[in-house]
Amino acid sequence: MDGHMEMSKYYVMSNDTDAKEPVIALKSSSIPFTSELKNCPMCRKPLRDINRYGRIVRRAWIDEATKKFIVWANAQFVPLAARMGQVEARLRDSVSRTPAMNTPTSQPAELSSAFGRLSLEPLLVAGPRNEQINIICKAQHKNNRYRDISLLRTNISRFLRDVDEAEQPISRIHALVEDARKRRGVTTELTDIPSVLQVRNRFLATVLILRCDYAILCDFITHRGKGASGGTLHNFHLDLVVNREDCEKLVTESQSRHQPAQEVEGLLYWARFVALERGRSAKLSEVDMNALVDRARNQLQSARHICNAYRGQTAGMLEEVSEAEKMLRDATFYALVTNEEKAAVYAAMAQSLRGTGHWYHCVNGHPFTVGECGMPMQTARCPECGAAVGGNNHQPAAGVTLAADFEEFGR
């Protein structure tokens, strides 16, 4: 039975065949996603009630829970990304369909007076990002212009909380073990940090909510900032320092996780927020604003270098860098459109859930998917550990193995 349960994967075993107890010591850790729930080979009943194999069974339970979490998170993200493109398209269409002279002009004196009163009440969009969106939505409450995208933003925020490392199965178990040790007076800390924590969907959701905020701010400035006569309806100011700080956090973590695409996203949105704030800053002087714009140009140069160095992982993003540079140069705003490469990534994620792709493990056991035919055609980096994933010419990279168990969850 010990051989059937592969005890040597979890314990140091004695070479003495006559030893009464072959188990010598506990191995420091086990490789993630290498355990499976096994039954008795004779009666096919589960072995979870046998104390001798409790550690192995619990390890398998953790792996199964993590696999279900990964597939669930993937299934939740794909519709959110699709809805993002839809609500952006509706915002663009509503602007193009609104004639400049739709507003009644039969009482110009009253309109002029109204514009004057509004200009004397400057609107300040500042503070935490949630508060910024609330301010804008209140300013547009009469026509519910941002109702759909605000609801989507709420759903993305909820998803972001749900995929946080603290909410994942292994983290919850880790916290329970720590609590039990403290209650029993055990003072030594657990040094084996959970290695199956998933960050991929958190990265994707972080970028998606940055995109959502940019879409709202950009639309508000370009649409709400102009009246029927071309005059300014609202004398409003922006303070987007929190937005830039969040972008910097994304850039820093993406660097540590070897994720060039997410690093470029962080640099792009940093520069975009600077472009939005330019000429509308609530706190920065013209000199300080010019210095910030120069820094944004440097950020975009860094993004361009990353795109050139990692063309396979940043396909289509050089065009976004060029558009952001034009924003800073011409003070022209561009509503974001999902490029073809990103659309293909989202489509591949959706296909993998329908069984048209395949799941693999990197050399350290972290899962990833390959869409289309399910065979790797390019190399990337694992978001959890930075190891090589994917491959070339339908050949997996060194250490990459097929995750057959995940195939069942994805169907």
Side-chain angles (χ1 to χ4, degrees):
M1 187 66 76
D2 285 359
H4 174 68
M5 296 299 292
E6 299 179 289
M7 292 279 283
S8 59
K9 288 171 58 175
Y10 308 92
Y11 300 94
V12 178
M13 308 297 288
S14 171
N15 294 325
D16 184 2
T17 56
D18 296 328
K20 184 176 179 181
E21 176 50 72
V23 176
I24 297 177
L26 179 68
K27 287 187 176 180
S28 60
S29 63
S30 56
I31 301 174
F33 304 120
T34 58
S35 304
E36 58 178 309
L37 290 171
K38 295 183 177 181
N39 296 329
C40 173
M42 302 298 293
C43 66
R44 302 300 179 187
K45 291 184 178 181
L47 300 172
R48 59 177 178 266
D49 295 328
I50 301 178
N51 291 336
R52 181 175 181 81
Y53 306 121
R55 175 181 172 82
I56 300 175
V57 171
R58 286 190 289 272
R59 170 81 255 186
W61 279 348
I62 293 172
D63 287 351
E64 295 295 302
T66 303
K67 292 170 189 175
K68 291 180 179 179
F69 171 84
I70 294 170
V71 175
W72 169 85
N74 205 36
Q76 295 296 311
F77 174 77
V78 172
L80 292 174
R83 284 179 57 196
M84 185 71 234
Q86 294 168 1
V87 297
E88 284 177 326
R90 284 198 290 271
L91 284 177
R92 292 193 300 271
D93 292 344
S94 65
V95 172
S96 62
R97 289 197 308 266
T98 304
M101 299 304 293
N102 266 358
T103 304
T105 57
S106 58
Q107 297 175 314
E110 292 183 10
L111 283 175
S112 177
S113 177
F115 292 158
R117 287 194 302 272
L118 286 171
S119 65
L120 295 175
E121 301 173 0
L123 181 69
L124 176 61
V125 180
R129 286 162 56 198
N130 289 340
E131 185 175 330
Q132 294 174 21
I133 303 305
N134 288 336
I135 292 171
I136 292 175
C137 289
K138 288 179 181 178
Q140 291 285 99
H141 71 281
K142 289 185 178 180
N143 57 12
N144 289 324
R145 179 173 181 81
Y146 302 118
R147 181 183 57 189
D148 291 344
I149 196 169
S150 295
L151 179 60
L152 174 60
R153 189 181 188 277
T154 300
N155 292 337
I156 297 172
S157 299
R158 185 181 301 115
F159 174 74
L160 188 57
R161 291 192 299 269
D162 290 342
V163 297
D164 187 78
E165 286 88 329
E167 298 300 319
Q168 296 180 27
I170 185 65
S171 291
R172 293 190 174 192
I173 294 172
H174 195 264
L176 289 172
V177 172
E178 285 277 23
D179 182 65
R181 288 162 60 89
K182 289 179 180 178
R183 284 189 281 105
R184 295 181 180 181
V186 179
T187 56
T188 56
E189 295 184 0
L190 288 174
T191 56
D192 185 18
I193 299 175
S195 57
V196 297
L197 288 174
Q198 307 297 311
V199 300
R200 174 171 172 266
N201 281 283
R202 180 169 61 80
F203 274 142
L204 293 173
T206 299
V207 171
L208 197 60
I209 202 167
L210 282 172
R211 177 177 173 178
C212 195
D213 290 353
Y214 172 81
I216 295 173
L217 286 165
C218 182
D219 181 85
F220 181 72
I221 291 172
T222 57
H223 174 73
R224 184 59 173 172
K226 294 294 182 181
S229 62
T232 301
L233 280 176
H234 274 296
N235 177 21
F236 59 89
H237 302 290
L238 303 177
D239 181 6
L240 305 182
V241 62
V242 174
N243 308 57
R244 296 194 300 273
E245 288 174 352
D246 289 344
C247 291
E248 291 167 1
K249 292 176 184 177
L250 174 62
V251 169
T252 301
E253 187 172 10
S254 298
Q255 289 175 339
S256 67
R257 297 280 186 172
H258 308 286
Q259 291 297 294
Q262 311 307 328
E263 184 178 354
V264 171
E265 293 277 19
L267 294 170
L268 278 170
Y269 280 106
W270 198 96
R272 287 166 179 158
F273 286 128
V274 170
L276 293 181
E277 190 173 355
R278 188 179 188 181
R280 303 169 186 82
S281 179
K283 294 182 178 180
L284 299 178
S285 65
E286 184 177 354
V287 173
D288 292 337
M289 194 71 236
N290 289 337
L292 198 63
V293 170
D294 289 339
R295 185 180 170 190
R297 292 193 178 102
N298 293 333
Q299 300 278 46
L300 292 177
Q301 281 298 315
S302 299
R304 187 175 290 278
H305 292 322
I306 296 170
C307 289
N308 290 326
Y310 300 94
R311 292 183 180 273
Q313 300 177 58
T314 60
M317 301 186 76
L318 272 173
E319 183 179 348
E320 295 185 41
V321 174
S322 297
E323 288 182 352
E325 289 173 337
K326 191 173 182 180
M327 285 177 61
L328 291 173
R329 184 173 60 252
D330 302 337
T332 303
F333 305 132
Y334 295 93
L336 299 186
V337 180
T338 303
N339 62 47
E340 295 180 0
E341 288 76 11
K342 286 183 182 177
V345 170
Y346 297 151
M349 292 174 67
Q351 288 172 354
S352 70
L353 295 172
R354 294 196 296 265
T356 58
H358 288 298
W359 286 88
Y360 293 84
H361 288 147
C362 75
V363 67
N364 294 317
H366 300 120
F368 65 94
T369 59
V370 175
E372 300 297 337
C373 67
M375 302 301 291
M377 288 298 294
Q378 66 178 19
T379 302
R381 289 286 177 181
C382 174
E384 274 68 55
C385 64
V389 297
N392 293 293
N393 300 321
H394 288 180
Q395 295 297 320
V400 171
T401 56
L402 182 66
D405 46 358
F406 271 73
E407 300 289 313
E408 297 302 320
F409 286 109
R411 284 169 172 42

